[in-house]
Amino acid sequence: KHRVLSGMQPSADSLHLGNYLGALVNWVRMQDEYDAIFFIPDLHAITVPQDPAELARRTRVTAAQYIAGGVDINKCTLFVQSQVPEHAQLAWVLGCITGFGEASRMIQFKDKSLQHGSDHASVGLFTYPILQAADILLYQPHGVPVGEDQRQHIELSRDLAQRFNSRYGETFQVPEAFIQKESAKIYDLQNPTAKMSKSAESPAGLINLLDDPKVTAKRIKSAVTDTETEIRFDREAKPGVSNLLSIYSSISGLSVDKIVADYQGKMYGHLKVDLAELVASHLGPIRDRANELLADPAELDRLLAHGADKAREIASATLTDVYAKVGFLPYG
Ligand code: TYM
């Protein structure tokens, strides 16, 4: 089996629908076909300030949502990044073969440092993509399923793998980015040309997995559309309606064309009411299951520690090889 690996930051109280439809649903589909590794990048989360108790809580909440959303720990490996020290260790080595200019070209850093002000941006935020490369290369995956926004980071991982291989000899698998199709990209309900994101200005455009279904229904019903009345898919001219249609399609499994045909002659309000219902009934069981898992944090921690043990077996083999190739003395 080919191996795939991916992760989602524990940086909010809930995953949003973009994380769910753009990433998690796809992971769940992949775990049957691939040797799948999923993790929670908590080391990445502290590149911006985090309240310690909050971070711990969010890490568990994120893990619970992975599992509630269908990640099956009997089929894949699920772990928390900070419990596998090899990530930070390999990141150091990779940092030493990354050019300063190369790291400076990473757009996510540019965006975030603009947002927070470059004086407040940490060195950790700057080296973030190098840690991400370490996350990936430690496990020698064939593919990394991510959204379009992560493409540049996967490119850097590929470059670093090739550079290390050519300098020190064949060591790393050069990973492919498995970029989700455009239809899996979910936009903000209030600002439908921007991707749905936890860092949005207002929460009104977000659909969170763990929100009260009434809140979710209200947000869908207040989603920004346009002044026309026709329900059709056109990302350019009708981003709001198109976003609702692609959410509908992703959740129901029906094609956008079929949905458009079904809503011929109906009003936006009809579509919104039905979509609110569909989303609530789909997310309800996930929310319940996540809350059940969170009611027993000790058991959740035990599952994650087991995942970390499995991950370390792979990660430590790669790191041992890397250290030897670099010229570090063998230990023990
Ligand atoms: P993160 O936590 O921002 O996002 C996790 C995944 O969700 C996708 N995504 C979306 N997809 C569709 N619509 C949206 N509105 C939307 N918002 C987010 C992202 O593309 C991503 O696939 N740097 C990574 C985390 C990471 C990682 C890794 C990923 C750290 N190490 C190693 C893969 C491999 C990040 O911040 O993703």
Side-chain angles (χ1 to χ4, degrees):
K1 273 190 186 176
H2 280 313
R3 179 171 290 157
V4 292
L5 169 136
S6 199
M8 256 189 265
Q9 290 204 59
S11 46
D13 291 326
S14 171
L15 296 181
H16 58 69
L17 200 65
N19 301 136
Y20 177 68
L21 295 176
L24 194 54
V25 166
N26 207 46
W27 295 4
V28 170
R29 217 176 284 136
M30 288 184 138
Q31 64 189 352
D32 290 316
E33 206 182 318
Y34 292 89
D35 170 11
I37 301 180
F38 303 120
F39 72 104
I40 299 159
D42 56 344
L43 297 176
H44 279 96
I46 65 163
T47 54
V48 295
Q50 298 285 342
D51 174 77
E54 265 308 78
L55 178 62
R57 199 177 59 77
R58 287 174 170 181
T59 300
R60 288 200 189 94
V61 168
T62 305
Q65 290 174 96
Y66 282 11
I67 298 171
V71 166
D72 181 346
I73 54 161
N74 297 311
K75 291 185 188 161
C76 68
T77 301
L78 171 64
F79 70 97
V80 175
Q81 185 186 31
S82 61
Q83 296 183 342
V84 181
E86 286 81 0
H87 289 246
Q89 293 175 290
L90 180 60
W92 178 258
V93 176
L94 295 178
C96 296
I97 63 163
T98 307
F100 194 86
E102 188 177 28
S104 310
R105 284 192 289 276
M106 295 290 126
I107 35 188
Q108 195 168 321
F109 175 77
K110 290 189 191 163
D111 290 350
K112 283 208 188 172
S113 59
L114 276 179
Q115 210 176 327
H116 298 281
S118 65
D119 285 347
H120 297 285
S122 66
V123 174
L125 188 61
F126 183 70
T127 57
Y128 178 115
I130 301 169
L131 179 59
Q132 182 162 350
D135 299 339
I136 297 169
L137 301 182
L138 272 179
Y139 299 93
Q140 315 279 3
H142 177 74
V144 184
V146 285
E148 180 63 43
D149 59 336
Q150 296 296 314
R151 185 190 289 279
Q152 199 190 30
H153 291 165
I154 312 303
E155 273 307 312
L156 178 71
S157 306
R158 292 172 56 84
D159 290 346
L160 294 177
Q162 278 158 347
R163 190 171 309 152
F164 191 96
N165 288 349
S166 70
R167 244 178 241 184
Y168 298 103
E170 249 350 271
T171 308
F172 295 120
Q173 164 84 31
V174 180
E176 301 283 332
F178 287 178
I179 303 284
Q180 255 75 93
K181 14 182 221 327
E182 173 59 22
S183 63
K185 183 158 177 189
I186 306 300
Y187 294 83
D188 189 289
L189 298 177
Q190 288 299 319
N191 182 12
T193 52
K195 73 167 184 172
M196 187 177 282
S197 159
K198 48 215 163 200
S199 46
E201 267 170 45
S202 141
L206 276 180
I207 298 177
N208 286 317
L209 260 57
L210 300 182
D211 276 350
D212 185 324
K214 286 196 201 108
V215 171
T216 300
K218 191 158 169 252
R219 288 183 185 170
I220 292 175
K221 286 175 196 162
S222 324
V224 166
T225 48
D226 52 61
T227 53
E228 294 180 13
T229 53
E230 198 192 353
I231 296 179
R232 65 188 165 82
F233 191 89
D234 183 339
R235 278 266 195 241
E236 296 283 303
K238 302 170 78 71
V241 173
S242 302
N243 190 35
L244 297 177
L245 287 168
S246 64
I247 294 172
Y248 199 127
S249 165
S250 296
I251 294 187
S252 64
L254 299 171
S255 70
V256 167
D257 287 346
K258 166 89 172 83
I259 300 164
V260 168
D262 289 349
Y263 281 89
Q264 206 62 30
K266 294 196 181 153
M267 294 192 294
Y268 291 168
H270 290 123
L271 176 67
K272 287 179 170 179
V273 168
D274 293 350
L275 181 62
E277 174 89 9
L278 182 70
V279 171
S281 64
H282 186 84
L283 297 186
I286 298 178
R287 182 167 170 260
D288 294 345
R289 179 80 185 108
N291 286 329
E292 253 171 57
L293 289 159
L294 290 166
D296 189 354
E299 173 61 10
L300 191 56
D301 289 358
R302 202 190 55 76
L303 298 179
L304 293 170
H306 175 68
D309 289 341
K310 271 169 64 183
R312 277 200 88 175
E313 278 176 33
I314 307 168
S316 66
T318 305
L319 191 74
T320 302
D321 184 26
V322 167
Y323 271 21
K325 291 216 168 91
V326 168
F328 296 160
L329 291 184
Y331 173 79

